[in-house]
Amino acid sequence: MNLKFDSDVLVVGAGPVGLTLAMDLARNGVKVHIVEVRKFAEPPNVKCNHVSARSMENFRRLGVAPSLREAGLPEDYPNDVVFRTAMTGTELTRIPIPCRKNRYTERGGPDTEWDTPEPPHRINQIYLEPLLLKHAVAQDGVTLINRTQVTDFVQDEHGVSVTLLNLDTHVSQVLRVQYVAGCDGGSSFVRKKIGAKLEGTDVIQRVQSTHIRAPQLADLLPGKPAWCYYSVNTRRCGTVFAIDGRSTWLVHNHLHPDEPEFDSVDRDQSIRNILGVDDHFEYEIITKEDWVGKRLLSNHFRDRRVFLAGDAAHLWVPYAGYGMNAGIADATNLAWLLGAVVNGWAHANILDAYEAERHPITEQVSHFVMNHAQKMIKARRAVPHNIEDPDAEGAAARELVGAEAYDLNVQQFCCEGLNFGYFYEKSPIISQEAEPAPAYTMGSFTPSTLPGCRAPHFWRDNGTSLYDSLGTGYSLLRFDSKIEVNELLKHAELANMPLQLIDLEQETHKPSAYAHPLVLCRTDQHVVWRGHELPHALPAFIAFLCGKPV
């Protein structure tokens, strides 16, 4: 029996999900080792372009949100989404999204009135990941091991023995840890090792994706710049993302079902058709980033002491930016659960909540995203033949396509429902009520304090966010100071369960959703219980919150 540990948790993979998990664990005083096959600070692929509001709320909690806000596109560069007959062609419609300089202050747009301390942020992964890396490795208790691969691990009752291979020296070592978190991507070794399998739809959409450098392209663009350009014509539909707002761009060429291979169509000609430029236009290919959109979900997220998060657990078409962002939600969920166990105040049974909470949510989101992808595929097949004609019929076709494109895509790019509407319905550590949780769509939701929902946000009278007040374990929000809660606080202290009381009776901006005078939240801002008085059996209630058998 080996009870000596080199680290509390081994995180496999130093992408955004693994780094988020590591810094969140470190915030809870957990010792973390991260293993990564790449060199230190080796640039990632040009993948995710969007950090959701929900992710930014968690990055605010972790102290990294301000540095992220300072990076990405130039501060005055519009984050709009525009639809045109080609990138340089006639505009069909525009979804206005504020530049980062005006992100907190601008009003009147489809995502500017949300009740959140942290609106979404448009930033490519090549700028995001280095900042997360810098923040993570600066945390006490975090050790990063680069150019190292996990080749094996063996679990026992008390921990996990992990075999690591240095890819430069080819020397192996064994690391003894309490838990392992596989954040090692779609081809996850950790997932395969625990016998979990991806299930679902293997191919929804193939995309020929190219990262290009074209300094002169911005000068050819008519009107106001945008973060994302949709090219809609009968030659080739595609999408272009501004990477640095100056000279680098990511071009997505959406292949048709009868184009089964990435080289089924001419890459160069497709790029030119999407951009709307002739054969004399010069550009440089930086990297080819081809990908296949899927809807795959691991049949389980855990095997005893080993967990899966991010693409290791689920893969889908990255509409609404919810590939990486769902992984970040996995990481923040898993971090507080592991932290509770490692710090000794929770029973190991509390870890059952991870799969019980995250698996159904990723299933829900994957269907939202797949359905949207199928609607987009259908729209690309239905582009009117006269969409570029200069006559009245052509203008009418453009107006119709523009209206349909706006209605379909505003819910993707301003997805308030996906950010804030999901709820944990059957968690073993969340109280169950007869009232059903409010339904939500990609674009809309109803704020609620029903256990399992995200606690509705509001700004406190002192100018701080409600979420800034929450502790690292549980926080009791009290809206009526006449209700005595000392007995609950005493029982929590006896159990070493972190519980913070936050009195909010005098707050003038609390939402009407706070109809109960007592609302218990956890550090990830989800409600776990609410009531008009304390539960009667307080020891049993504390045991429930700690995941202890009752």
Side-chain angles (χ1 to χ4, degrees):
M1 180 174 65
N2 184 359
L3 296 179
K4 182 179 180 181
F5 298 104
D6 300 298
S7 193
D8 296 321
V9 178
L10 177 69
V11 175
V12 185
V17 175
L19 292 171
T20 300
L21 177 57
M23 67 177 77
D24 208 345
L25 287 167
R27 178 176 180 264
N28 285 283
V30 176
K31 186 179 179 182
V32 187
H33 275 59
I34 314 171
V35 173
E36 170 59 48
V37 297
R38 292 175 293 166
K39 297 177 182 178
F40 181 76
E42 182 177 330
N45 292 336
V46 185
K47 290 184 178 179
C48 185
N49 287 287
H50 168 231
V51 183
S52 71
R54 194 72 185 98
S55 294
M56 289 301 294
E57 287 178 350
N58 279 302
F59 286 144
R60 178 190 183 100
R61 180 174 56 83
L62 297 174
V64 71
S67 63
L68 299 186
R69 290 284 179 196
E70 293 300 314
L73 295 168
E75 65 170 12
D76 58 351
Y77 191 95
N79 285 191
D80 297 357
V81 177
V82 65
F83 289 76
R84 290 178 175 165
T85 54
M87 186 179 179
T88 57
T90 302
E91 188 162 319
L92 307 174
T93 192
R94 180 178 289 259
I95 300 171
I97 299 172
C99 64
R100 62 181 176 87
K101 181 176 68 174
N102 301 333
R103 182 68 266 196
Y104 291 109
T105 57
E106 191 167 312
R107 295 292 179 265
D111 72 347
T112 58
E113 309 292 338
W114 293 357
D115 287 325
T116 176
E118 293 291 344
H121 183 41
R122 268 68 189 184
I123 178 174
N124 189 269
Q125 189 169 336
I126 63 173
Y127 303 117
L128 169 71
E129 189 173 303
L131 292 172
L132 296 181
L133 176 64
K134 180 180 179 181
H135 191 81
V137 298
Q139 305 306 303
D140 291 338
V142 173
T143 301
L144 174 63
I145 309 174
N146 287 100
R147 294 292 295 152
T148 299
Q149 183 175 19
V150 174
T151 59
D152 196 15
F153 56 81
V154 178
Q155 301 189 61
D156 57 47
E157 182 182 354
H158 302 284
V160 189
S161 297
V162 186
T163 302
L164 307 179
L165 174 66
N166 185 297
L167 297 176
D168 294 325
T169 65
H170 305 292
V171 174
S172 293
Q173 64 171 312
V174 176
L175 204 69
R176 181 71 175 166
V177 298
Q178 295 191 59
Y179 297 97
V180 172
C183 306
D184 50 339
S187 60
S188 172
F189 169 80
V190 176
R191 183 185 65 241
K192 296 170 185 174
K193 175 69 177 176
I194 67 173
K197 296 181 179 179
L198 292 174
E199 300 175 343
T201 306
D202 287 324
V203 179
I204 296 175
Q205 171 79 74
R206 287 184 174 87
V207 177
Q208 190 188 67
S209 186
T210 315
H211 184 201
I212 67 171
R213 180 175 288 106
Q216 66 274 43
L217 181 57
D219 294 334
L220 302 179
L221 299 176
K224 184 181 177 183
W227 161 69
C228 175
Y229 298 82
Y230 273 80
S231 177
V232 184
N233 60 60
T234 56
R235 296 179 301 283
R236 181 58 57 177
C237 291
T239 312
V240 182
F241 290 94
I243 302 302
D244 65 0
R246 300 178 182 88
S247 63
T248 55
W249 315 84
L250 184 62
V251 183
H252 289 335
N253 172 23
H254 305 283
L255 301 185
H256 301 303
D258 59 351
E259 297 167 345
E261 305 297 334
F262 290 123
D263 58 358
S264 295
V265 296
D266 183 274
R267 185 181 297 264
D268 173 70
Q269 190 57 55
S270 296
I271 290 173
R272 295 182 186 279
N273 288 337
I274 292 168
L275 300 183
V277 298
D278 60 24
D279 292 342
H280 300 290
F281 180 81
E282 296 182 356
Y283 68 89
E284 171 194 353
I285 293 180
I286 301 172
T287 56
K288 296 177 181 179
E289 305 278 351
D290 302 341
W291 51 270
V292 178
K294 312 176 181 189
R295 194 200 73 81
L296 296 173
L297 190 67
S298 180
N299 58 350
H300 54 270
F301 287 7
R302 176 193 181 190
D303 174 30
R304 293 167 290 165
R305 291 178 171 270
V306 179
F307 298 82
L308 304 176
D311 285 356
H314 42 75
L315 291 166
W316 53 63
V317 184
Y319 284 112
Y322 262 73
M324 180 194 74
N325 289 290
I328 289 170
D330 293 340
T332 57
N333 183 290
L334 181 58
W336 97 270
L337 294 169
L338 286 173
V341 176
V342 171
N343 286 320
W345 62 264
H347 190 277
N349 285 354
I350 201 173
L351 298 174
D352 294 341
Y354 176 64
E355 186 165 331
E357 293 179 0
R358 291 304 304 164
H359 197 280
I361 296 305
T362 52
E363 175 78 13
Q364 290 174 27
V365 173
S366 73
H367 281 291
F368 275 129
V369 173
M370 182 178 71
N371 292 340
H372 187 84
Q374 291 173 335
K375 291 176 183 177
M376 291 296 293
I377 292 170
K378 182 179 179 180
R380 285 191 286 271
R381 294 174 183 166
V383 177
H385 70 279
N386 63 341
I387 193 168
E388 296 179 282
D389 289 356
D391 56 18
E393 291 183 354
R398 290 189 290 276
E399 183 177 0
L400 177 61
V401 170
E404 292 176 343
Y406 184 95
D407 290 343
L408 177 59
N409 287 282
V410 70
Q411 61 184 316
Q412 174 195 170
F413 290 105
C414 303
C415 47
E416 188 176 20
L418 283 190
N419 272 275
F420 311 127
Y422 68 87
F423 52 91
Y424 297 140
E425 188 173 18
K426 296 180 179 179
S427 170
I429 55 169
I430 291 177
S431 296
Q432 304 297 311
E433 294 188 9
E435 177 186 336
Y440 70 101
T441 67
M442 284 182 72
S444 63
F445 85 112
T446 301
S448 174
T449 61
L450 186 80
C453 294
R454 164 186 171 269
H457 176 263
F458 63 91
W459 292 100
R460 300 190 64 179
D461 291 351
N462 63 9
T464 63
S465 164
L466 168 68
Y467 297 162
D468 295 341
S469 301
L470 301 183
T472 57
Y474 290 105
S475 295
L476 181 64
L477 312 184
R478 182 168 65 171
F479 296 92
D480 183 352
S481 60
K482 293 187 295 295
I483 299 177
E484 180 56 58
V485 298
N486 282 339
E487 284 301 308
L488 177 64
L489 298 175
K490 289 178 182 177
H491 281 285
E493 185 176 3
L494 287 172
N496 292 317
M497 186 190 84
L499 174 60
Q500 176 176 311
L501 174 64
I502 305 174
D503 275 315
L504 300 167
E505 183 175 20
Q506 303 301 319
E507 300 293 335
T508 58
H509 302 294
K510 57 182 180 289
S512 59
Y514 285 100
H516 294 71
L518 299 175
V519 177
L520 186 65
C521 297
R522 60 195 201 189
T523 189
D524 65 356
Q525 300 134 10
H526 281 271
V527 176
V528 298
W529 172 88
R530 63 181 179 176
H532 292 277
E533 61 182 9
L534 290 179
H536 295 297
L538 289 180
F541 183 59
I542 295 296
F544 167 74
L545 295 175
C546 295
K548 296 177 180 177
V550 179

